[in-house]
Amino acid sequence: MAAGLGGLLAASVSGLGSSGASATAEPSPPVAISVDFPASVEEVKVLARPDFASMRPGEIREPVELSGATADVVDGRVTVRIDPRDVPSTHVSDEGVVSFSIHGSSAEGPATWSTSAPVRAVVDDGAFVWIDPLAHPDEVSRAVAARLVSGPFARLDAVEEDRYKVAAIARRAQQAPQLPDCPAAWTGKFKDRAMTTSTTYPVGRDKAWASSSIINGSKAGIGMKAEGEWKQAGIEFAAGKESDDATNTAFKWPKKSIARSHRGTVRYYRYKLICPPSNKKYRAWIPVGTIAGFSTGRDLTRPLWNDERINCVRNDSGTFSRADSTGDNYSYGAAVKFAGVIGIDMYGEKSYSTTHTVKYKFRGTRWVCGDDDEPGTAGKFAPYKRLARG
């Protein structure tokens, strides 16, 4: 067995893998990810990407195929199971996060389909499980019934396995670029970029404010280039990195009556990838951490979510807030402000929690409308004086 999760999960699980006198069969490894590929897919390969954040300048690491993973394929539905201890320690972050890369192939032709997703290993009730890495550390018992996660170019799906919901992101390689699974080296270069983590749109003299912390980390897009223009090539988890200045790891924006975006900071490392056998070269900016640093954006246009009417809730004067992690995360396809470096902004995602909140103070009755769900669980929402006329 390869070196596993080290110190993070060293407080090992009682009864897991033991060989006592009991004839009880050892439990199946937990589900890490479930993906919908075309029904023609028959063969599946599962790899773990390196822990990019722990690499030293010039060090080369490459993805490893996980022989301990099992992939059940039924009509294109691929369910991947693996024991976290079967993942090499060089491919597991300090926070227990692994980025899996899944490849499916068909006997009908040369086409392949690929997807990737970061998931976190935790111990719940004496057993290992995989959960959404944005789940708040104080809420793991609820987070094990993990929220679904999505990203740009992603199709959302889910599988119920006992009481666990598993993240599923499926996309065709031909339709969306993906970071190639090739040897990678950190060039020693890095950039710190602002990332929008929430937005507020107060009406009239209403007030809005927000608070945020780096503790829970974020998900952010990967930028990649071979020839031509830079493209986004999937997403990666960026864990919260503690600062020597503890006072700058959390921030509360003041109450204001103007529309604003609230931004944190994500650190990116620049990598060089060389893919055999042709030795094709890629350049990539990959997020490695959420660091101290908060700012404000004011170039917002009020969205027209009140046009739909179906995701709107009437609220009397008073306070409306969102701090519940059980709903959708805030996500935005151009959240990471990278255009000044590579010509494009990239995807960002942040979980609401007790340390990442949005609040409004209404001076009268307001309709609060979510972008794709009711405002109490929607990832994005805004208040309005009235609904659009139907």
Side-chain angles (χ1 to χ4, degrees), residues 100 109 219 292:
F100 289 103
K219 291 177 186 173

Side-chain angles (χ1 to χ4, degrees), residues 10-334:
S12 121
V13 188
S14 66
L16 235 150
S18 61
S19 55
S22 171
T24 303
E26 192 168 317
S28 299
V31 173
I33 187 170
S34 177
V35 181
D36 272 349
F37 283 146
S40 60
V41 165
E42 297 173 349
E43 296 185 7
V44 175
K45 183 168 64 173
V46 182
L47 297 93
R49 289 178 173 170
D51 174 28
F52 292 107
S54 65
M55 292 174 65
R56 300 182 300 276
E59 178 186 5
I60 297 174
R61 292 186 192 173
E62 55 187 295
V64 295
E65 186 169 357
L66 298 171
S67 58
T70 62
D72 299 324
V73 184
V74 180
D75 295 328
R77 166 65 61 83
V78 177
T79 302
V80 176
R81 293 176 176 272
I82 186 166
D83 189 314
R85 295 167 295 184
D86 285 340
V87 181
S89 59
T90 51
H91 292 59
V92 183
S93 76
D94 290 342
E95 297 76 28
V97 175
V98 178
S99 282
F100 289 103
S101 184
I102 317 296
H103 302 266
S105 59
S106 169
E108 297 178 359
T112 60
W113 290 264
S114 301
T115 189
S116 62
V119 288
R120 188 199 303 269
V122 298
V123 175
D124 178 69
D125 195 23
F128 284 113
V129 293
W130 297 98
I131 67 170
D132 179 354
L134 289 183
H136 197 276
D138 297 334
E139 300 171 344
V140 166
S141 60
R142 282 199 295 164
V144 169
R147 293 182 309 278
L148 305 181
V149 296
S150 65
F153 317 109
R155 178 177 170 219
L156 200 63
D157 204 357
V159 60
E160 287 278 0
E161 179 63 24
D162 301 324
R163 56 198 176 95
Y164 308 127
K165 275 186 178 178
V166 181
I169 306 174
R171 48 183 172 261
R172 294 175 186 264
Q174 298 93 326
Q175 294 177 338
Q178 178 165 307
L179 189 72
D181 289 315
C182 302
W186 178 32
T187 64
K189 296 180 179 179
F190 71 92
K191 293 282 187 183
D192 296 336
R193 309 306 297 175
M195 181 184 119
T196 300
T197 58
S198 64
T199 52
T200 47
Y201 304 89
V203 173
R205 295 167 59 196
D206 292 353
K207 301 288 187 181
W209 63 103
S211 63
S212 190
S213 167
I214 70 171
I215 291 175
N216 202 27
S218 305
K219 291 177 186 173
I222 297 170
M224 179 188 73
K225 180 178 181 179
E227 300 95 9
E229 298 178 346
W230 285 89
K231 299 178 180 179
Q232 180 164 301
I235 58 175
E236 189 58 85
F237 176 68
K241 301 298 182 183
E242 292 186 4
S243 167
D244 292 337
D245 180 7
T247 61
N248 202 25
T249 60
F251 187 77
K252 181 178 179 180
W253 282 265
K255 299 178 181 179
K256 295 282 187 180
S257 296
I258 57 174
R260 293 177 293 176
S261 61
H262 314 104
R263 298 173 178 177
T265 302
V266 178
R267 174 158 293 178
Y268 275 76
Y269 284 177
R270 181 165 171 165
Y271 296 84
K272 179 173 65 177
L273 291 80
I274 301 179
C275 299
S278 65
N279 290 331
K280 184 174 182 178
K281 297 179 181 179
Y282 292 84
R283 288 177 284 170
W285 285 102
I286 300 176
V288 296
T290 304
I291 65 171
F294 301 90
S295 58
T296 303
R298 293 185 172 85
D299 53 343
L300 275 68
T301 301
R302 179 179 292 275
L304 300 178
W305 296 323
N306 60 333
D307 280 353
E308 297 296 327
R309 302 170 66 93
I310 57 174
N311 294 321
C312 298
V313 175
R314 180 183 170 125
N315 284 262
D316 293 327
S317 58
T319 301
F320 176 88
S321 66
R322 173 72 204 278
D324 188 349
S325 63
T326 59
D328 294 340
N329 299 333
Y330 175 88
S331 63
Y332 177 36

